[in-house]
Amino acid sequence: HSADSDGIRRPDVALHLPSGGRIIIDSKFPLDDFMKAQSATDEASRQAALQAHAKALVDHCKALSKRKYSNDADTVEFIIAFLPVDVLLTAAMETNSALLDEIYKLKVGVATPVTLMPLLMTLQYAWQKHELAKNTVEIRDSGVKLYNGLATFAGHLAKVGRGLGSALKGYNDAVGSFERNVMPSARTMREKG
């Protein structure tokens, strides 16, 4: 990652949450003390290097927790320190069993290849549920609009029916009046020549 001119850092990976926040994944990790532990020729040197590795990992997470990754409009919900090999975390936990508790208190998590995949799958599932809920709301809103449109149409159709009924009654009254009042006189006139 690098920092912009305003000091905001661009993360290695930013996972966008349905809620609008982000989970930042930082892929840098302290490796020097771990490598010293691997090349140590005696157990005391190995243990000292592993303790230094655990401290370096906690210090790295402390630094991550203080980094500015966003402006106020873009909330960072959680930062994850990605360790590309599971043994980096296991080795640190050998000498500091409270390591994860210390790190989690900083609102920082640690992920390895084994744990990163379930995190990504969980996030994908959350997005699917979010989209489903969003679609459900849109379908409900469309249903309300459809119902309101049908109710308005039914009201207009009822008016047309009443108008047709009134027109039919007027027509029948006119034909009846014509048959009762006009036709007898016309017949009489025809008969009389």
Side-chain angles (χ1 to χ4, degrees):
H1 58 81
S2 61
D4 293 337
S5 60
D6 58 1
I8 295 175
R9 293 182 180 260
R10 288 184 304 203
D12 297 320
V13 176
L15 303 174
H16 296 273
L17 300 171
S19 64
R22 294 184 307 163
I23 295 175
I24 300 300
I25 299 178
D26 186 280
S27 63
K28 270 107 4 275
F29 56 94
L31 187 60
D32 293 343
D33 293 313
F34 176 78
M35 295 306 288
K36 287 178 189 172
Q38 297 305 305
S39 62
T41 56
D42 62 89
E43 188 58 26
S45 298
R46 180 180 174 279
Q47 285 301 315
L50 286 177
Q51 287 175 356
H53 170 64
K55 182 181 180 324
L57 183 56
V58 171
D59 290 345
H60 175 67
C61 291
K62 284 179 184 175
L64 289 177
S65 73
K66 294 175 184 173
R67 286 191 182 157
K68 183 178 178 184
Y69 282 105
S70 69
N71 55 31
D72 293 345
D74 195 14
T75 306
V76 173
E77 300 294 335
F78 206 74
I79 299 170
I80 295 181
F82 178 69
L83 304 177
V85 182
D86 293 283
V87 72
L88 290 171
L89 179 59
T90 307
M93 292 175 65
E94 275 183 34
T95 60
N96 182 352
S97 60
L99 177 94
L100 292 178
D101 289 335
E102 289 178 43
I103 292 171
Y104 292 153
K105 286 177 185 173
L106 302 168
K107 262 187 109 173
V108 174
V110 178
T112 66
V114 170
T115 58
L116 184 61
M117 209 51 203
L119 170 71
L120 296 175
M121 291 169 67
T122 300
L123 186 57
Q124 177 189 13
Y125 180 75
W127 270 107
Q128 287 172 340
K129 289 296 181 187
H130 174 74
E131 289 300 314
L132 180 62
K134 185 176 148 187
N135 289 343
T136 301
V137 168
E138 289 175 10
I139 289 169
R140 183 204 66 208
D141 292 345
S142 294
V144 167
K145 286 179 185 176
L146 177 63
Y147 174 81
N148 291 337
L150 287 172
T152 301
F153 175 76
H156 293 311
L157 193 58
K159 280 184 194 176
V160 169
R162 285 191 301 274
L164 287 174
S166 177
L168 183 59
K169 182 181 180 318
Y171 172 79
N172 288 337
D173 290 347
V175 168
S177 174
F178 182 77
E179 290 289 329
R180 282 187 311 276
N181 300 322
V182 176
M183 285 307 289
S185 296
R187 281 189 208 110
T188 302
M189 285 176 65
R190 188 168 110 198
E191 289 171 3
K192 303 279 183 191

